[in-house]
Amino acid sequence: ARLSKDREGNDVIIVSYEFTNNGEESSSFIFAVNDTAYQDGVELDTAYFVEDDTYDTDSQMKDIKTGGTLTVENAYVLSSATSPVEVDVEEIFSWEDDAPVLTKTFDPAAL
């Protein structure tokens, strides 16, 4: 993860994901995975206009063939520059009642 600003000057955290398509058909990150970021237990808004020349908003939409891997990024508007950011990632459509949720916590002060 790294920090940046949006066009309005708000602090933003950009999270990078290594997405491997293990499905049977081509798929994109945005249609396969639900990623949600929280600070202090409250969901963060997605940042759409980020002042970071390397931020790749299109990566989430790219189709990836079975077995392919792509680094994708998503940006979230921070509500605090010091509170930890907890990101949950889970499969969008899962037939399992107890489908796994991956969680990673980032400390904005350490980025």
Side-chain angles (χ1 to χ4, degrees):
R2 66 185 187 277
L3 297 179
S4 188
K5 300 271 186 188
D6 67 8
R7 281 197 204 170
E8 297 173 359
N10 298 311
D11 290 325
V12 170
I13 187 169
I14 300 170
V15 179
S16 297
Y17 304 93
E18 284 289 316
F19 174 66
T20 299
N21 180 4
N22 292 320
E24 296 177 10
E25 299 177 9
S26 294
S27 185
S28 61
F29 179 85
I30 200 164
F31 293 116
V33 175
N34 183 33
D35 60 311
T36 309
Y38 301 89
Q39 268 189 318
D40 300 317
V42 179
E43 182 178 354
L44 297 178
D45 291 331
T46 300
Y48 294 103
F49 302 104
V50 177
E51 297 293 327
D52 182 318
D53 292 338
T54 63
Y55 177 57
D56 185 5
T57 58
D58 295 332
S59 62
Q60 296 180 39
M61 304 284 286
K62 290 182 181 176
D63 273 342
I64 303 165
K65 288 189 170 196
T66 299
T69 299
L70 179 68
T71 300
V72 298
E73 296 182 314
N74 203 355
Y76 312 93
V77 180
L78 295 175
S79 60
S80 164
T82 57
S83 293
V85 176
E86 184 177 287
V87 179
D88 291 344
V89 180
E90 61 187 326
E91 190 176 3
I92 284 182
F93 301 108
S94 176
W95 302 111
E96 299 175 37
D97 290 335
D98 59 347
V101 176
L102 303 174
T103 301
K104 173 84 175 175
T105 301
F106 300 96
D107 179 0
L111 298 177

